[in-house]
Amino acid sequence: LNAAAWHDKAERALRRAQRQGAAAGLLILDLDHFKSVNDTYGHLAGDEVLSAVAETLRAEVREGDVVGRFGGEEFTVLLRGLEPTSAGHRQMELVAERIRERIGQLAVAVHTPDGPLTIEGISTSVGAVFDLGRTCTLQQVLGAADAALYAAKRDGRNLVRFGPSAVPTHAFPGRPSA
């Protein structure tokens, strides 16, 4: 999905998860040093890499999860219907790591003016938020995941970093935020 379509579907999926008392998780992925792919092999080759990453994302999540392109080389995944427990958080961790590893294993065959070649060694930084809240907006969850993404980049890239839950502190009186 493009960014606008992703926002629309993700908003609806998040509200549905909240009504059902389920947790949701959000991943923001940014391909590390992607500009060098475009600069070295050209934008058409870069587009083929982006398509391969999108296919990988769709293959690694459930049918009802919402996958979209968020920016130039950024993707978002809303994982809905997770258990609102540590088991749901662990499930999300496993999905995020599996996606990061699968992207790292990609070998994308592209055609260039100099002939065919294979682009490998693609890495991605992932910011993740496991949302236990019932009142969080998509913007709050995106903000928390984006901050976690930048933590992954600061910590050396090709990492998954979880941010704090995007739950507003007033959502559960007397309960500390996660």
Side-chain angles (χ1 to χ4, degrees):
L1 299 172
N2 67 25
W6 181 88
H7 268 86
D8 182 52
K9 286 190 179 220
E11 285 273 3
R12 285 185 281 147
L14 182 61
R15 284 193 305 267
R16 187 171 38 253
Q18 290 170 340
R19 280 193 312 272
Q20 295 170 348
L26 180 71
L27 307 175
I28 296 182
L29 300 91
D30 186 65
L31 301 181
D32 297 327
H33 307 293
F34 186 73
K35 184 179 182 319
S36 67
V37 171
N38 285 335
D39 291 349
T40 303
Y41 305 111
H43 288 90
L44 294 178
D47 285 347
E48 290 187 47
V49 170
L50 294 172
S51 292
V53 168
E55 288 175 29
T56 299
L57 291 174
R58 285 190 301 269
E60 292 300 324
V61 299
R62 300 165 300 181
E63 186 176 323
D65 295 329
V66 186
V67 176
R69 180 118 172 251
F70 197 62
E73 67 272 3
E74 292 181 333
F75 293 87
T76 48
V77 179
L78 181 77
L79 302 167
R80 61 174 196 79
L82 300 172
E83 289 294 321
T85 64
S86 60
H89 189 280
R90 181 67 183 137
Q91 178 186 9
M92 189 178 163
E93 285 180 292
L94 293 171
V95 169
E97 282 294 342
R98 186 177 69 231
I99 287 171
R100 187 190 61 75
E101 289 172 7
R102 288 291 304 266
I103 290 172
Q105 295 168 358
L106 282 175
V108 182
V110 297
H111 297 285
T112 70
D114 298 328
L117 62 91
T118 301
I119 299 174
E120 298 176 293
I122 303 160
S123 70
T124 188
S125 297
V126 182
V129 173
F130 180 70
D131 178 44
L132 299 173
R134 305 293 179 259
T135 60
C136 290
T137 66
L138 182 59
Q139 283 307 114
Q140 289 170 314
V141 178
L142 280 167
D146 195 48
L149 170 64
Y150 280 94
K153 290 182 167 297
R154 277 192 310 273
D155 290 347
R157 300 183 189 265
N158 198 28
L159 300 168
V160 175
R161 289 292 180 258
F162 271 78
S165 173
V167 178
T169 56
H170 59 80
F172 299 101
R175 180 176 155 207
S177 295

